[in-house]
Amino acid sequence: MGRRKKIVEQCERLMDKPGQIRNIAIAAHIDHGKTTLTDNLLAGAGMISKDLAGQQLAMDTEADEQERGITIDAANVSMTHEYEDTDYLINLIDTPGHVDFGGDVTRAMRAVDGALVVVDAVEGTMPQTETVLRQALREDVKPALFVNKVDRLINELREGPEEMQERLQAVIRDVNELIRGIAPERYEENNWKVSVQDGTVAFGSALYNWAVSLPSMQETGIDFGDIIDYNREENVDELKDLSPLSDVVLDMVAEHFPDPVEAQPRRIPHVWRGDPESEIAIQMRDVDDEGEVVLMVTDISLDPHAGEIATGRLFSGTIERGQDLYVSGTAGTNRIQSVGIFMGGEREEVERVPAGNIAAVTGLKDAIAGSTVSSAEMTPFESIEHISEPVITKSIEAQSMDDLPKLIEVLQQVSKEDPTLKVEINEDTGEHLISGQGELHLEVQTQRIERNQGIPVRTGEPIVVYREAPQAASDEVEGISPNRHNRFYMTVEPLSEELVAGIKRGEVSMDMPEQERREALQELGMDKDTSQNVTEVFGTNIVVDDTKGIQYLNETMELVLEGFEEALDEGPLAREPVQGSLVRLVDARLHEDAIHRGPAQVIPAVRESLHRALIDAEVRLLEPMQDVRIDVPSEHMGAASGEIQGRRGRVDDMYQEGDRMVVEGIAPVEEMIGFSSDIRSATEGRASWNTENAGFEVLADNLQGEKIMEIRERKGLKLELPQSIDYF
């Protein structure tokens, strides 16, 4: 019997024992060693050769991942591990570290109960370390820490035991500060801080396949003094035999990460807002494999042979071939064609997968990443809130007109697989636009369309996505319908930063029970009366109905909201999305005859009126910003900071870290296009850098007019702005 077959059988045997299941993700900043670490875990579980662990990068299954040396797609693998005479089934997801692929990390966290955060011992905690921790803690996932590349402290930096200890303690302290800052109640009540004494921290080298933790030191007698000796004497092979990384890390996973029975009662109220006393809620909390099927889809991928594969966490029930299941938000049912588990790039079919596991199924043609799939009608799970939003757009077209229908089909498939990618067709120009998290995100997707689908495409220059936002409170503005029989009166004012951030974090949504939503809004600083009248939340905009007893308004409200949505999707300055506005409908006069207050009358009246109110509220263009961190040798520090300042950026901090200087700053996304080649030539290729999305900031007044005209011209809009926009 083949080794893989044997492992699949072991996994099947353990699936029914939720107390012995661990669902975990490995997350970290880019290049801190997640995929190399995963290789070692696979080798320890007997799935790949121990000699190739660390070089094979088995979880980077796509050709472009191997070429670029980075993880682009989250990859799943199921393995078994024996700890204290008990076998454990470990379902692991290796997630990307590059900021452009953060959506995969967010979705992976919904499927798991524990996150192993990997930090480079030399670089320490980095911006993306904070982001992945935030993603894990927002989904109520328990963290543990692996400090990687300890060999570099010994071999490159030649540090002694005291210096090493100080540096490693600093890493642990930084990670705990982040956990405490992001989830104070979990940190205090559940004791979610990571600590050497508790055994929730391990140290090692994924490249050389050794690791230690306090429990492993007590067992093997190997301490840091021995580790330094083994490394200095270049006797690492003996060290990895005495204290192999896979044993140390998987023991920690088995001992310290919660099983589904412990995790689901805590996580279900956090990610699902249905009735907590309902039958289905009890089944999910109990991980009941005989209950209704409830599957949360976290990933959609395409297999050339099997078609579309939906991967997700099964919270209750047992999933089998031939079941007819409902997909939230779609009509009818989908029939399951096959059920399987992932072994890295390969999917192995099994008879059934019970609750508490991660399953990969085919046949769910209506599902997208984020869908709730169930055997009975139910309240869907909370939507997965991605931390960043698309900031770069490119036009994409097929080189040959014959490929156009196929390209449209592929683009629809791509946006289904990756919800952080937006695809739209500009109806005026007929061009297809794809918007993503950054240049690399779009470059990878376009290359995949060419390579995997065989469609040669042309892409336009990158276009930055702007936002529009009111800066002051407007006066009351009147909107009149084309037939002059209906009038709407409204005001607009800016929303507070706390409220905008709260909406982005998913703390406020229209899916919540009304009372809960009011309380959440009040906690974020909205006054009681306003919170009671909130009618809709569009993006980061809130619509409030302050009218009193207006005849026919109830029947017309749906059209009014449609008008608001159209106006907020395309603001008055440059048809860019509006963000952070509080819109109040103050009054309305409606014709008594329904035929005179149809869509053609109401929608334009509301849209025009809201646009005029936004202009009165001094709406401005906002541009997307990026935090930039550059690590360079000190002689290139001036060139590095000059690269930020020369891009309308500002340098916020400069400090020494080891033998390198760190320059931190912020710059507009538009100016950062082409940054990678410029920084290489400015520092003779000796800089390493990374960027993080930093939200939107108001564009300087002297650039507003010029930028608005440029966008309007690109979109084929009239180049005259309304007279009332004279406040720049």
Side-chain angles (χ1 to χ4, degrees):
M1 181 191 294
R3 190 165 54 175
R4 183 183 287 271
K5 196 88 188 129
K6 203 167 161 191
I7 293 169
V8 173
E9 284 188 6
Q10 285 175 321
C11 292
E12 281 188 277
R13 208 175 56 246
L14 292 168
M15 276 181 192
D16 287 311
K17 300 175 177 165
Q20 287 159 245
I21 295 173
R22 301 288 182 271
N23 295 309
I24 69 163
I26 293 190
H29 186 84
I30 187 166
D31 282 342
H32 279 201
K34 295 174 297 303
T35 306
T36 311
L37 171 71
T38 308
D39 257 17
N40 286 313
L41 302 184
L42 295 181
M47 296 174 74
I48 62 171
S49 146
K50 284 192 173 169
D51 300 336
L52 290 175
Q55 284 117 45
Q56 187 167 338
L57 303 181
M59 299 299 269
D60 286 348
T61 52
E62 294 282 339
D64 52 3
E65 296 182 301
Q66 297 272 0
E67 281 165 22
R68 291 173 187 272
I70 60 170
T71 302
I72 292 169
D73 301 319
N76 296 50
V77 64
S78 296
M79 59 176 105
T80 58
H81 174 67
E82 189 185 324
Y83 170 64
E84 294 188 346
D85 300 330
T86 306
D87 282 332
Y88 289 88
L89 167 59
I90 295 167
N91 298 315
L92 178 147
I93 305 180
D94 176 29
T95 66
H98 195 287
V99 59
D100 281 17
F101 308 105
D104 276 56
V105 186
T106 311
R107 294 192 295 280
M109 291 305 172
R110 180 62 62 91
V112 299
D113 306 317
L116 183 63
V117 177
V118 181
V119 176
D120 181 323
V122 178
E123 291 190 351
T125 57
M126 296 284 274
Q128 198 63 10
T129 315
E130 178 177 352
T131 305
V132 297
L133 260 171
R134 189 175 298 282
Q135 287 164 310
L137 293 164
R138 253 173 50 173
E139 290 288 338
D140 223 25
V141 167
K142 182 181 180 179
L145 175 65
F146 179 72
V147 184
N148 192 20
K149 306 193 186 184
V150 175
D151 57 291
R152 287 184 63 196
L153 301 182
I154 304 164
N155 302 336
E156 287 175 33
L157 303 184
R158 315 296 294 173
E159 290 190 350
E162 280 96 32
E163 294 166 291
M164 263 174 70
Q165 202 169 350
E166 272 173 39
R167 191 186 283 263
L168 297 173
Q169 279 172 342
V171 171
I172 298 168
R173 199 167 48 243
D174 289 349
V175 169
N176 278 325
E177 282 303 306
L178 288 172
I179 297 171
R180 185 163 53 199
I182 297 163
E185 62 296 334
R186 291 271 172 265
Y187 184 87
E188 303 298 344
E189 292 162 27
N190 297 24
N191 196 16
W192 274 20
K193 77 181 205 193
V194 295
S195 102
V196 177
Q197 285 70 28
D198 294 353
T200 48
V201 177
F203 310 93
S205 163
L207 189 60
Y208 295 113
N209 207 341
W210 60 265
V212 290
S213 62
L214 189 64
S216 87
M217 289 183 198
Q218 288 164 344
E219 196 178 313
T220 60
I222 288 176
D223 61 17
F224 272 105
D226 301 326
I227 286 168
I228 292 174
D229 295 342
Y230 278 118
N231 274 278
R232 296 254 160 96
E233 290 159 16
E234 294 187 6
N235 193 1
V236 185
D237 284 349
E238 194 177 327
L239 177 59
K240 76 177 183 191
D241 290 339
L242 292 170
S243 192
L245 180 141
S246 59
D247 287 358
V248 173
V249 170
L250 294 177
D251 284 357
M252 179 165 83
V253 165
E255 174 69 35
H256 292 287
F257 279 146
D259 59 53
V261 182
E262 183 192 333
Q264 284 188 199
R266 188 191 67 244
R267 290 193 67 214
I268 293 299
H270 199 82
V271 298
W272 184 70
R273 295 203 190 272
D275 174 6
E277 301 310 315
S278 63
E279 190 69 28
I280 218 158
I282 294 161
Q283 289 168 355
M284 288 196 286
R285 288 201 295 270
D286 293 348
V287 198
D288 182 353
D289 60 359
E290 291 181 1
E292 298 287 357
V293 171
V294 180
L295 174 79
M296 168 87 202
V297 177
T298 55
D299 186 54
I300 299 276
S301 54
L302 205 58
D303 180 300
H305 311 298
E308 221 170 79
I309 299 170
T311 307
R313 171 69 175 265
L314 191 62
F315 285 103
S316 89
T318 297
I319 204 160
E320 300 175 83
R321 190 169 53 204
Q323 286 171 329
D324 289 316
L325 301 177
Y326 296 98
V327 178
S328 58
T330 63
T333 57
N334 289 186
R335 175 159 290 188
I336 298 292
Q337 307 291 340
S338 72
V339 184
I341 55 174
F342 266 109
M343 294 277 163
E346 306 290 321
R347 192 178 65 100
E348 293 287 340
E349 286 196 18
V350 294
E351 288 300 311
R352 52 191 274 287
V353 174
N357 285 283
I358 294 174
V361 296
T362 60
L364 294 174
K365 61 181 190 303
D366 293 336
I368 58 170
S371 295
T372 303
V373 176
S374 57
S375 54
E377 298 270 356
M378 66 176 283
T379 307
F381 284 95
E382 284 290 279
S383 58
I384 298 174
E385 296 292 336
H386 292 102
I387 282 183
S388 53
E389 44 195 322
V391 291
I392 294 247
T393 299
K394 272 185 175 180
S395 63
I396 179 168
E397 54 185 65
Q399 286 185 16
S400 149
M401 283 306 287
D402 298 348
D403 286 333
L404 187 62
K406 194 174 171 194
L407 177 66
I408 294 172
E409 204 177 295
V410 169
L411 286 174
Q412 285 169 337
Q413 180 64 36
V414 163
S415 66
K416 196 173 177 183
E417 290 174 28
D418 182 356
T420 54
L421 201 75
K422 284 203 170 69
V423 176
E424 60 175 322
I425 296 174
N426 181 329
E427 295 186 359
D428 303 328
T429 60
E431 63 183 350
H432 299 83
L433 301 172
I434 56 172
S435 310
Q437 311 283 316
E439 277 186 280
L440 182 66
H441 191 199
L442 295 183
E443 191 183 310
V444 163
Q445 291 296 358
T446 9
Q447 280 184 357
R448 286 188 172 184
I449 289 170
E450 293 199 316
R451 176 183 277 171
N452 302 351
Q453 308 296 333
I455 306 173
V457 293
R458 271 193 298 271
T459 55
E461 286 298 307
I463 303 161
V464 172
V465 182
Y466 288 79
R467 292 283 185 275
E468 301 183 21
Q471 304 301 306
S474 75
D475 291 333
E476 193 175 298
V477 175
E478 179 186 55
I480 305 173
S481 63
N483 64 9
R484 313 201 70 74
H485 291 317
N486 306 280
R487 291 164 190 262
F488 299 92
Y489 301 86
M490 61 191 72
T491 64
V492 173
E493 61 197 84
L495 270 182
S496 70
E497 281 178 19
E498 288 76 17
L499 270 161
V500 172
I503 297 171
K504 281 185 178 168
R505 289 195 299 268
E507 289 168 21
V508 176
S509 79
M510 293 311 286
D511 304 337
M512 297 163 78
E514 195 175 332
Q515 187 56 38
E516 205 177 309
R517 182 171 63 246
R518 277 183 204 168
E519 286 166 10
L521 286 163
Q522 286 167 28
E523 270 176 37
L524 291 165
M526 184 179 272
D527 66 81
K528 193 173 173 186
D529 294 346
T530 306
S531 70
Q532 286 173 340
N533 295 337
V534 168
T535 312
E536 195 53 84
V537 179
F538 295 122
T540 53
N541 305 288
I542 290 180
V543 175
V544 175
D545 178 8
D546 277 347
T547 58
K548 296 278 189 294
I550 290 169
Q551 245 185 326
Y552 316 119
L553 185 60
N554 271 355
E555 304 160 34
T556 318
M557 201 58 185
E558 209 167 302
L559 294 175
V560 173
L561 292 176
E562 215 172 300
F564 279 134
E565 189 162 4
E566 275 191 21
L568 293 167
D569 273 346
E570 299 189 330
L573 297 178
R575 300 282 183 269
E576 295 285 284
V578 176
Q579 77 168 30
S581 61
L582 177 65
V583 184
R584 292 178 190 274
L585 182 63
V586 184
D587 200 358
R589 305 268 178 280
L590 297 169
H591 196 283
E592 61 208 29
D593 192 342
I595 207 156
H596 292 303
R597 46 184 162 85
Q601 304 302 328
V602 172
I603 294 173
V606 172
R607 191 176 56 223
E608 302 292 303
S609 166
L610 179 46
H611 277 180
R612 289 221 301 281
L614 281 163
I615 290 167
D616 195 46
E618 300 192 4
V619 64
R620 292 279 204 289
L621 214 52
L622 310 184
E623 62 177 343
M625 306 295 285
Q626 281 181 332
D627 286 327
V628 190
R629 174 188 162 123
I630 310 172
D631 293 57
V632 281
S634 50
E635 65 268 25
H636 293 296
M637 190 181 75
S641 56
E643 279 301 321
I644 296 179
Q645 287 159 338
R647 299 180 129 76
R648 284 198 293 116
R650 65 166 194 266
V651 172
D652 293 332
D653 201 1
M654 288 189 199
Y655 54 91
Q656 187 141 9
E657 208 171 73
D659 58 343
R660 291 168 83 79
M661 291 300 294
V662 177
V663 181
E664 289 182 349
I666 189 167
V669 169
E670 182 176 46
E671 304 287 338
M672 292 296 288
I673 291 170
F675 176 74
S676 47
S677 53
D678 293 352
I679 188 79
R680 276 196 197 103
S681 53
T683 61
E684 298 169 10
R686 295 182 65 195
S688 62
W689 70 93
N690 75 287
T691 55
E692 249 327 74
N693 291 332
F696 288 81
E697 283 186 12
V698 180
L699 184 65
D701 269 6
N702 59 341
L703 298 173
Q704 289 269 348
E706 182 190 327
K707 180 52 67 183
I708 291 166
M709 286 309 153
E710 191 185 301
I711 301 171
R712 288 180 78 94
E713 189 173 337
R714 190 185 79 227
K715 292 184 175 180
L717 304 169
K718 284 203 312 235
L719 293 187
E720 297 80 54
L721 282 170
Q723 284 298 302
S724 45
I725 305 184
D726 55 3
Y727 44 79
F728 296 143

